[in-house]
Amino acid sequence: MNGDDGGSSNSMTPPDSKSINILQIEDEHHFAKLVATRLEREDERFSVRTETDPYDALDVLYEDDSAVDCIVSDYEMPDLDGLEVLDRVRETHSDLPFILFTGNGSEEIASDAISAGVTDYLQKETGTDQYRVLANRIQNAVEAYWTERYLNRGLEAIETAQEGISILNDEGYIEYANTACADLFGYDREELLGQHWETLYQDEDVDHVYDTLLPAARDGQWHGTTSFVRKDGTQIDVEHTLSYTDDNSLICTLTPRSDDAEAVDLSAKEKAMDEAPIGVLLTDPHQDDNPIIYANDEFTDLTGYEKHEIIGRNCRFLQGEATDDEPVETLREAIDNREPVTTELRNYRKDGTEFWNRVRIAPLFDDDGDLDLFVGFQDDVTDRKRYEQQLQSHSARLDALFEHSPDMFAVHDIDGVIQDVNQRLCTELGYTEDELLGRKVWDIDPTADSDQASSFWKTLEPNTPQRFEGKLERKDGSTFPIEIHLIRLNLDGEDRFVAMDRDISDQKQRERELVQQNERLDRFTSVVSHDLRNPLQLAKGNLELLREDCESDHLDDLGDALDRMDALIDDLLALAQAGEEALDCEPVQLESLAQACWNSLPTKDATLSIETDQTVTADRDQLHQLLTNLFQNAVEHGGSNVTVTLGAMDDGFYVADDGSGFSSTDSTAVLEAGYTTADDGTGFGLTIVEEVVDRHNWTITATSSADGGARFEITT
């Protein structure tokens, strides 16, 4: 597996001729097939592979990452959701385009997706326009991805070049040097960086550089032979070229001289220009309209024109309707003033297609200082332009999300100084934006300790979201709890920390209420299980002693009353526990559970008929309690030979019997606590059933069965 270093075998092919390999992750097979068909019709370069299982999709990526240029993933899927898939992809493919295409859209999901590093986010809609939008998003993301990789390969080419290449800042210090340059001077690269160019010259040559070489470079370019001093003190003569960039950086190219360097003739130079990776033109300013007298092969490939169609024409033949006047005027003025210039403009190929052209023009002078020729370098920067437009679009969306999010946003630096805030944070805290900017994080978060926070920020991994809780303090001094999602990002070259804060006051209030409720339940169950059972057991014990001492019909009545109190305590404890225990829901097979419940009851001659093979999602223990209580209720009220049926409904299941049933009045009161028609009933059995139903967010209805008995319908 190559990870991010891998790439398609045709990764150096011009983008317009490359296929775009899309890995679609969508668990709904028919919809996935529709999306793949529509995408491949939108762009003939698209090739869509679909996986309905997220794990299978990850295996495809790991086994052959070069076959994937973009991932389009659904959000809600079994086993892994879209953001969990994204996390796994980013572990090995930090830059691979990943588009979340989901029907479950919300600002919260969009915010989480952007924080997790998603390339783009698109909500599924009705109609066919969404596939055109999705295709455009894929194309933009992939082309930006390719452009970045091409730039990386360009840097790699400089690094591996045989010529020494270095870049100096406007004060003359070396900011960059490739390996060949360091080897040429006999330094390790780290030793060479930060050196001033004067240390590489003999003292007597320094003034010549200031007086002659640098002024010539500023006028366009200087080229000649220079004697340098290597680290070991030895001298080396090299072919040396100097030129300045627009930002006043000095570019130095160094080529060791060979014995036959002077023998290189014009044909060799032309061959070198023909092999150049950019378009090269030579124009003759001494002829009318400054015509082209030479064009290399790359220029013909770039424009689609043959050389005989180019020679003798002015460069303006590439211009067209959408070419802006401003860059054209910039070029014209530079040529008139015999000055070098760099600009970008929209040009047209022979087939009429547009492309963005980065044009660099420089005058060439002869040995007498007279203008000889103009040389022009042409680069196709269309992909970069598209990438810039995509970044602008992404930036606009992020700005909109930042400003209009229902969550509070703050951006601070490594020292905790707040650099940016959104309006929601200002509103919630009662400050203006100007009042918050420049404050420290601990000025508005009383739980933050400056030393601990600084230490935490320094060790926080970039692009890795962290979640924790804190507080915010309003301008009036009041505070409220928040959930903080913090991520470390590089924003415009600066190390920044983006905090998304969410008010969790309601959540904390619910937690406190739940704790209080559980404490009340604990006290209740303690009273029931201990304070009531102890005197009950004492009464039962004394009843047995009384039976030994005397005989009375009243003793049996007293025993029945004590047994009913014992059963009542059991039901009260079951009712309390049903409302206290946390639900642990899982798929439960009704048939096997119902049979187990029935076998645990004294059913005498009663019969259980199971007419369903349903599986429901429920807490197994509480569903066991529900079925047991319904079966026991049927046996107690339906007679010794009652038939109890467990059956299926379209939206749930039912328990029915063929007993005597209940009146319409009974059917409305039967689920109320304490209601019973049995002489020894507690009236809490069906109340426990209703509590279990409520905890699962189900509903229960009591009605009459087809056989005249009772029927309880549970809608899940």
Side-chain angles (χ1 to χ4, degrees), residues 80 115 213 215 250 275 417 433 482 556 583 613 664 669:
L80 292 177
S115 298
L213 275 62
L250 183 62
E275 294 297 328
V417 179
E433 181 177 344
I482 57 171
D556 291 337
L583 289 177
D613 58 356
S664 59

Side-chain angles (χ1 to χ4, degrees), residues 589-596 610 612-614 646:
Q589 215 280 331
L590 273 180
E591 182 178 6
S592 59
L593 183 63
Q595 194 62 57
I610 300 177
T612 177
D613 58 356
Q614 281 176 282
L646 173 66

